[in-house]
């Protein structure tokens, strides 16, 4: 057999080593592939990758719409994508809720709701559950400024004046309500606490419709967020009967609560997000982290407070527990009212 020289062996080893090295280094790794929820093979969430639509179940210009738009501006910075607000009014918020329930659970369609939704669930008006049929995204705002007002030509100067009239004239005091909403919840409490019988009239679901009807003397009493009627109050056109918070609102220190006037009537609205059921938990977790961060942003807090609300963050679990508790409370109050 012919002997191979040491030099030949050395050359062969060098050539083989270089070939192997080139083969390894020249191989291009495949890019990570995300599934339909944006989850990569390595477990890193790649959501969001496109515009997120947040559906508000009321018309533009109201408190829910305002808070949703403020929050969206700050969430865009945290999530790195555009957030578009879609106003879909109807059926005390249920039209929008059903729309989100039917959307693909990919994290790009979200419902921004408040306590009124829970009332439709508690009273059986909704054929679905806001707590069980959605993936809860968390809470971001609380508003304790639901305010009861009358017109300056009503003759009422105080809450007691209004109640005395209602007692002397059962069924004559007219009240603007939206069936199955927070206004309805308030009227049931008021009748029970004051021992009066008021006439509820549904004059429109939007704040603008209800205010127009109130100004047009179609109803005697209006309940709405303070920021919505601030100018009318300051001009003296609307007379405040009281605010429906549990204690005086720091930014409205001169307005007495119903409780301190001897009537246990409250209506505190919390504003939260819900995703379609089945949304990837990693999406919810990332969204929740963004909510937690903006809630601590001083500029965000300042904007919310300019409408007399407060930035109030609760994670999805806290939101779920809070909403379940609220539903039970509403059921107790509204039993037999529908």
């Amino acid at each position: 057999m012919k002997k191979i020289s040491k030099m030949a062996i050395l050359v062969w080893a060098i050539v083989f080593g270089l070939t192997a090295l080139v083969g390894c280094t020249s191989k291009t790794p495949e890019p990570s592939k995300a599934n339909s929820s944006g989850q990569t093979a390595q477990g890193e969430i790649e959501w969001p990758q496109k515009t997120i639509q947040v559906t508000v179940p009321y018309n533009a210009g109201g408190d829910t719409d305002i808070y949703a738009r403020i929050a969206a501006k700050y969430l865009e910075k945290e999530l790195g994508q555009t957030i578009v607000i879609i106003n879909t009014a109807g059926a005390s918020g249920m039209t929008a809720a059903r729309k989100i329930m039917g959307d693909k659970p990919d994290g790009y369609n979200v419902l921004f709701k408040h306590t009124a939704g829970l009332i439709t669930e508690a009273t059986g008006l909704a054929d679905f559950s806001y707590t069980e049929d959605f993936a809860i995204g968390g809470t971001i705002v609380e508003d304790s400024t639901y305010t009861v007002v009358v017109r300056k030509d009503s003759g009422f100067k105080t809450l007691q004046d209004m109640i005395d009239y209602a007692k002397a004239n059962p069924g004559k005091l007219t009240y603007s309500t939206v069936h199955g909403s927070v206004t309805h919840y308030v009227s049931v409490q008021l009748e029970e606490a004051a021992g009066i019988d008021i006439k509820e009239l549904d004059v429109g679901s939007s704040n603008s419709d209800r205010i127009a009807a109130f100004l047009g003397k179609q109803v005697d009493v209006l309940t709405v967020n303070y920021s919505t009627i601030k100018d009318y109050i300051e001009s003296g056109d609307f007379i405040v009967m009281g605010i429906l918070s549990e204690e005086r609102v720091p930014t409205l220190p001169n307005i007495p609560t119903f409780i301190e006037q001897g009537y246990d009537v409250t209506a505190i609205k919390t504003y939260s997000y819900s995703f379609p059921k089945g949304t990837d938990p990693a999406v919810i977790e990332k969204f929740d982290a963004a909510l937690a961060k903006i809630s601590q942003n001083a500029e965000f807090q300042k904007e919310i407070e300019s409408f007399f609300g407060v930035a109030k963050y609760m994670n999805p679990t806290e939101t779920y527990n809070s909403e379940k508790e609220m539903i039970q409370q509403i059921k107790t109050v509204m039993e037999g009212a529908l």
Side-chain angles (χ1 to χ4, degrees):
M1 180 181 289
K2 192 174 183 180
K3 291 184 179 181
I4 301 174
S5 68
K6 292 181 178 179
M7 180 60 70
I9 293 173
L10 179 61
V11 170
W12 177 83
I14 292 172
V15 171
F16 179 82
L18 288 173
T19 301
L21 180 61
V22 170
C24 291
T25 56
S26 63
K27 185 177 181 181
T28 303
E30 292 184 7
S32 61
K33 296 180 179 179
N35 62 24
S36 60
S37 296
Q39 190 81 21
T40 67
Q42 290 76 28
E44 179 186 353
I45 190 72
E46 292 188 347
W47 174 90
Q49 295 180 309
K50 62 181 182 179
T51 296
I52 299 169
Q53 292 189 344
V54 173
T55 296
V56 172
Y58 305 100
N59 292 325
D63 51 287
T64 315
D65 179 69
I66 290 169
Y67 291 140
R69 292 179 188 277
I70 294 173
K73 180 171 62 174
Y74 290 87
L75 284 171
E76 284 182 338
K77 296 175 184 178
E78 296 300 324
L79 297 174
Q81 290 290 344
T82 300
I83 296 178
V84 175
I85 303 300
I86 308 295
N87 296 94
T88 306
S92 296
M94 291 183 285
T95 300
R98 290 192 185 99
K99 184 265 180 188
I100 295 298
M101 287 176 66
D103 283 335
K104 185 178 179 181
D106 56 7
Y108 294 101
N109 293 284
V110 193
L111 178 69
F112 185 76
K113 68 182 190 303
H114 64 59
T115 307
L118 307 181
I119 295 174
T120 62
E121 178 177 346
T123 56
L125 291 176
D127 58 358
F128 57 87
S129 170
Y130 281 93
T131 51
E132 305 300 335
D133 293 333
F134 292 87
I136 295 177
T139 298
I140 192 59
V141 175
E142 180 178 273
D143 192 313
S144 301
T145 70
Y146 235 39
T147 305
V148 178
V149 296
V150 296
R151 290 184 307 278
K152 65 180 180 181
D153 62 1
S154 67
F156 307 141
K157 301 299 182 183
T158 66
L159 174 59
Q160 195 58 52
D161 289 342
M162 186 186 81
I163 290 173
D164 288 344
Y165 172 83
K167 285 183 175 180
N169 301 274
K172 288 190 176 181
L173 186 70
T174 55
Y175 173 89
S176 172
T177 190
V178 179
H179 193 63
S181 73
V182 180
T183 53
H184 189 186
Y185 179 59
V186 169
S187 68
V188 172
Q189 292 182 77
L190 179 58
E191 287 185 317
E192 176 66 26
I196 59 176
D197 177 21
I198 59 181
K199 184 177 182 179
E200 299 182 11
L201 296 176
D202 190 337
V203 292
S205 59
S206 71
N207 284 337
S208 58
D209 287 343
R210 294 173 61 235
I211 291 171
F214 182 63
L215 288 168
K217 300 184 180 182
Q218 294 180 45
V219 288
D220 302 317
V221 184
L222 177 71
T223 301
V224 72
N225 292 66
Y226 182 88
S227 62
T228 307
I229 51 174
K230 173 179 175 288
D231 292 341
Y232 292 105
I233 292 172
E234 292 181 349
S235 69
D237 292 319
F238 292 179
I239 307 299
V240 174
M241 298 290 96
I243 203 164
L244 300 178
S245 56
E246 294 179 347
E247 54 188 36
R248 292 205 183 196
V249 176
T251 51
L252 300 169
N254 296 324
I255 300 181
T257 67
F258 268 55
I259 290 177
E260 69 183 82
Q261 296 180 81
Y263 299 98
D264 189 5
V265 184
T266 59
I268 298 171
K269 296 164 73 174
T270 56
Y271 301 74
S272 62
Y273 295 89
S274 296
F275 289 77
K277 194 168 185 177
T279 300
D280 190 333
V283 170
I284 302 296
E285 183 178 353
K286 188 169 183 180
F287 183 81
D288 174 49
L291 278 187
K293 191 167 182 180
I294 72 167
S295 72
Q296 298 300 314
N297 185 311
E299 290 302 313
F300 171 73
Q301 294 172 355
K302 185 177 179 180
E303 282 201 57
I304 294 297
E305 288 168 5
S306 70
F307 291 94
F308 304 99
V310 294
K312 180 171 182 176
Y313 164 74
M314 288 192 287
N315 66 35
T317 299
E318 292 168 334
T319 299
Y320 174 85
N321 291 335
S322 175
E323 291 184 350
K324 292 293 282 189
E325 182 179 346
M326 176 59 74
I327 288 169
Q328 287 304 122
Q329 179 181 326
I330 294 168
K331 283 182 176 179
T332 300
V333 171
M334 299 290 283
E335 186 177 6
L338 296 174

